[in-house]
Amino acid sequence: MGDIEIDDIEFARQMLSLKENKYEENKSRGMKQVVNKSYKISTLSNLPDGILFNILVKIPPKDIHKYVMRVCKSWKEIVSESFFIEQNFMESKTELVIQSGLVWRMKTKLIEIGKEFECESREVGLSKLRKIHSSCDGFLLMSEPGNNGMLQIINPATKFCLTIPRCPSHCKHKACSAALAFDSSTKQYKVVHVVTDSYGFEIFNVSSADDELQWERVSSPWEDLNDRPFNPVKFHWKNPVSINGRILHWYVDSAEYFITMQVKEEKFSRTYLPQRVKEINKTKNYALVELDGFLSFINCDSEKTMNVWILEDFRRKVWSKKHTIVAELTNYICPYKSSRQDERRMPRFWNLVAVAGARNGEALILEHKKNSSVFIYDTKSKVMKPFSSNMRKLESFVPHKDGLFRIMKRIA
């Protein structure tokens, strides 16, 4: 696949585009019939299967679902194979699903951040306002903001939608933690839900048989509730950091560890922070973020230094320092003729907290804790600039890749 030329990809797209444009042209002339367009794809159809596969696999999932599957039966068979779906997902670009914090006027956008900080946005394609909790294999786990909100699994590329039965805790999904995960041993998707400290953890196996469709309670990560590092009255669970939907990590207000769940075992354990970090101020800048498929721990040593650690080996708990961001070495780019004082000068690192990664871990999304301003930092060029999205009160940044994966079992 690495040898495929970009011209072949553009050729495939142009052939599909010609097919659509020809139909529109005849439609605009008032012609009701659809002209036979088989000759427009004859060149691609005559290609060897391997070359055709390498061309189609690079087309975005939403275009495959909307156009490619309708071209002919043989193409539909190719793009429906599990191996093609897996390879196509690997080729898909990672975007950020961002949401505003205005509940009844909530905005949701998909953002792709380019190498020069250019941001290309597009609509997610949702007909209703929904709060996004997590992303896994192209699926989004969402909930409606109403009082009787239900958890739903939605695939924006294929328009698949699945409503999950109400959980035993009768949570309204306003201030809970929820994530969609995948069990590679059973090939089942699972919804992991953390409600309140009093109720605990519960899991729903999405692909189970009809007689097994129910939520299951899971033991608390702490055998003794007095061992909890947080104040149960003041602490609020946040959505976990998902690593490829296979491992989930929760911040628990501890200066020593966080809670981890391996989806296959459905058991919780403590994962300790890097031992070489001399001092961790959990009330300041301590964040867990997914960067290019790895868990990252990001903290500030001072107002001028920020460290990025990567959990390179999860099983052996091996951390390595990936980046050290220094204020004096950072080139801050202020927006042209910005009227906002908080944008005219680079913020102190002490006031920034990492909320997401972008561009395969090369870029960090940082949020100002006091005024909610958002910034982008490029780890290669050491450039920082304000993040412009035309959306107010951003509070959700979820890494997402479109995919063609299917959940075979629908829930009645």
Side-chain angles (χ1 to χ4, degrees), residues 2 10 14 29 64 85 93 121 154-155 167 186 216 220 226 229 235 271 274 296 307 350 381:
E10 290 303 319
Q14 289 173 15
R29 294 177 181 176
I64 289 177
I85 293 174
K93 294 181 179 180
S121 66
I154 297 174
N155 187 324
C167 52
T186 63
E216 298 179 359
S220 168
N226 294 324
F235 182 74
T271 299
S296 175
N307 295 314
W350 202 255
S381 64

Side-chain angles (χ1 to χ4, degrees), residues 124-397:
V124 182
L126 302 175
S127 58
K128 296 182 180 180
L129 295 175
R130 293 180 175 92
K131 177 182 177 181
I132 297 175
H133 294 273
S134 76
S135 172
C136 177
D137 293 346
F139 297 103
L140 291 173
L141 181 66
M142 314 182 78
S143 61
E144 295 183 8
N147 292 331
N148 297 319
M150 299 282 285
L151 287 173
Q152 291 183 317
I153 299 173
I154 297 174
N155 187 324
T158 64
K159 307 305 178 184
F160 171 86
C161 181
L162 182 65
T163 300
I164 303 300
R166 189 173 298 279
C167 52
S169 56
H170 298 288
C171 177
K172 296 179 180 179
H173 308 300
K174 291 183 177 181
C176 64
S177 173
L180 179 66
F182 182 74
D183 186 340
S184 57
S185 62
T186 63
K187 306 299 181 183
Q188 291 183 344
Y189 286 96
K190 301 178 179 180
V191 176
V192 182
H193 186 218
V194 184
V195 197
T196 62
D197 181 68
S198 60
Y199 199 88
F201 293 72
E202 50 192 18
I203 295 178
F204 186 88
N205 290 319
V206 178
S207 305
S208 299
D210 290 339
D211 56 348
E212 298 176 353
L213 290 177
Q214 59 183 355
W215 287 86
E216 298 179 359
R217 291 284 298 276
V218 182
S219 301
S220 168
W222 299 277
E223 294 182 4
D224 187 346
L225 293 181
N226 294 324
D227 291 338
R228 295 168 298 183
F230 54 82
N231 184 333
V233 177
K234 298 181 179 180
F235 182 74
H236 295 283
W237 289 90
K238 295 182 179 180
N239 293 321
V241 178
S242 175
I243 306 301
N244 300 319
R246 278 61 174 170
I247 305 176
L248 305 177
H249 303 283
W250 284 268
Y251 169 82
V252 290
D253 200 24
S254 170
E256 298 180 0
Y257 66 90
F258 50 90
I259 293 298
T260 295
M261 189 191 85
Q262 290 182 270
V263 178
K264 288 195 299 184
E265 288 80 5
E266 294 188 357
K267 293 182 179 180
F268 297 88
S269 61
R270 299 182 185 186
T271 299
Y272 288 87
L273 300 173
Q275 295 180 355
R276 283 177 287 170
V277 178
K278 295 180 180 180
E279 183 178 356
I280 298 174
N281 191 333
K282 64 183 181 180
T283 63
K284 294 295 182 181
N285 294 57
Y286 159 8
L288 299 175
V289 173
E290 184 270 340
L291 290 180
D292 195 25
F294 294 91
L295 179 71
S296 175
F297 163 75
I298 303 174
N299 75 310
C300 283
D301 286 343
S302 65
E303 294 184 356
K304 299 181 178 181
T305 306
M306 184 180 297
N307 295 314
V308 180
W309 296 78
I310 299 294
L311 186 58
E312 286 189 338
D313 190 330
F314 171 75
R315 295 192 178 278
R316 296 178 5 182
K317 302 299 185 291
V318 176
W319 292 91
S320 64
K321 186 181 288 188
K322 188 74 172 179
H323 305 288
T324 296
I325 304 173
V326 182
E328 287 85 351
L329 302 178
T330 299
N331 179 20
Y332 180 71
I333 300 177
C334 174
Y336 180 65
K337 294 183 179 180
S338 174
S339 60
R340 294 179 55 179
Q341 183 176 357
D342 58 321
E343 289 186 346
R344 289 200 295 266
R345 61 183 180 183
M346 186 171 69
R348 295 179 178 179
F349 285 2
W350 202 255
N351 292 323
L352 297 177
V353 60
V355 292
R359 286 212 324 262
N360 298 324
E362 293 181 357
L364 288 175
I365 311 299
L366 306 166
E367 185 175 26
H368 198 291
K369 294 186 297 182
K370 295 183 178 180
N371 58 32
S372 299
S373 299
V374 181
F375 303 86
I376 308 176
Y377 176 82
D378 189 304
T379 58
K380 286 191 172 181
S381 64
K382 296 181 173 56
V383 171
M384 180 187 290
K385 67 178 295 187
F387 174 71
S388 178
S389 65
N390 298 321
M391 294 170 63
R392 298 176 56 192
K393 294 185 178 180
L394 294 176
E395 69 170 28
S396 178
F397 302 82

